[in-house]
Amino acid sequence: MAVDTSLPTPSANRLCLEFANLPLASGDPVERPIFWDEFVDFLAAKQIISAEKMPYIRALSETDPKAAQSLLNHAERLGRALRTSFRAILKEQDILREWVEPINQILRVTEGHDELQPDGSLWRMGFVAREEGLEWLLAAIARSGAELIAGGRADSLKKCANLDCRILFYDDSRTHRRRWCSMALCGNRSKVAAFARRNQDEGEKANAHHA
Ligand SMILES: [Zn+2]
């Protein structure tokens, strides 16, 4: 199925949040299923699969539709588990054991190790999974989510200030005052609304004056 990829993807600053945001669009309160192609694109963009592996993984929806669907089901479940847990953190509610079970399930079935990986001119710790089954493709996402939930850094986890928008992000900004998933979308939309409100107020004042 075709997905509009022309819209800029808001930066959520954490792999687990970017994945959790995948079926959400900026400014949109609706959650849709994840599509196979966008899932593969996401894995490639986040360097979870290499350029050489990408055609093989993408073709799975044709060559092994059962395996592809099973992986997509795991991905959906993981995404829902992450969103439910992150929203609970935002509301300062307890996270229930059954909510994190899909995260633990991925962590359990994926064995691997950490290693240093180049990241531009810097180095980062990267997770290298043992490639058995396909769930390993979700390992880094599950791990990123588990770290965020275990870390308890609730003050940096935020939801877009647009009430209609469900996008989550991690505020890495120096001032810690980021409010919008995307300035270009929700930020500007809110500014335009505030401007319209101000104009209306002034218009009403002017009318009252003339009356
Ligand atoms: Zn937003």
Side-chain angles (χ1 to χ4, degrees):
M1 202 175 297
V3 175
D4 184 3
T5 48
S6 61
L7 289 170
T9 313
S11 171
N13 295 327
R14 290 293 180 278
L15 179 62
C16 57
L17 291 169
E18 269 151 28
F19 180 73
N21 287 337
L22 204 53
L24 312 170
S26 274
D28 195 342
V30 183
E31 210 170 291
R32 54 160 180 78
I34 307 176
F35 305 119
W36 177 253
D37 277 344
E38 72 174 337
F39 175 59
V40 177
D41 287 344
F42 180 86
L43 296 177
K46 299 299 167 195
Q47 296 170 352
I48 292 170
I49 44 176
S50 60
E52 305 94 74
K53 263 233 163 91
M54 179 143 152
Y56 160 75
I57 301 283
R58 192 183 294 284
L60 278 176
S61 62
E62 306 279 327
T63 57
D64 193 349
K66 238 182 174 168
Q69 191 54 54
S70 162
L71 178 61
L72 208 52
N73 291 347
H74 272 107
E76 290 268 10
R77 225 165 21 239
L78 178 62
R80 273 197 302 275
L82 293 171
R83 285 189 294 275
T84 309
S85 302
F86 295 152
R87 282 176 192 143
I89 293 175
L90 286 170
K91 290 184 197 157
E92 296 180 16
Q93 290 169 344
D94 290 340
I95 295 174
L96 303 184
R97 185 181 276 262
E98 62 258 35
W99 296 351
V100 300
E101 182 46 32
I103 303 170
N104 280 341
Q105 198 190 350
I106 299 294
L107 293 175
R108 263 198 300 274
V109 298
T110 52
E111 286 180 78
H113 63 275
D114 286 323
E115 64 179 37
L116 285 165
Q117 296 171 342
D119 185 9
S121 57
L122 302 168
W123 291 86
R124 61 179 162 94
M125 280 291 263
F127 180 69
V128 182
R130 266 176 50 186
E131 303 184 14
E132 281 173 21
L134 284 170
E135 287 93 349
W136 67 271
L137 289 168
L138 297 167
I141 299 165
R143 201 178 156 87
S144 160
E147 277 167 5
L148 207 154
I149 291 166
R153 298 281 309 276
D155 53 336
S156 296
L157 175 66
K158 295 185 179 176
K159 190 193 90 62
C160 179
N162 175 0
L163 295 177
D164 288 335
C165 178
R166 310 189 75 172
I167 298 228
L168 303 164
F169 60 88
Y170 199 84
D171 187 357
D172 276 331
S173 71
R174 197 175 45 82
T175 55
H176 211 259
R177 288 168 67 181
R178 180 174 163 192
R179 297 186 61 206
W180 314 104
C181 67
S182 151
M183 197 58 219
L185 294 158
C186 289
N188 279 345
R189 211 172 284 171
S190 152
K191 271 192 187 160
V192 168
F195 182 77
R197 252 194 325 272
R198 254 195 324 274
N199 267 10
Q200 197 187 0
D201 289 350
E202 264 150 39
E204 275 165 15
K205 259 184 243 157
N207 283 343
H209 193 73
H210 286 298

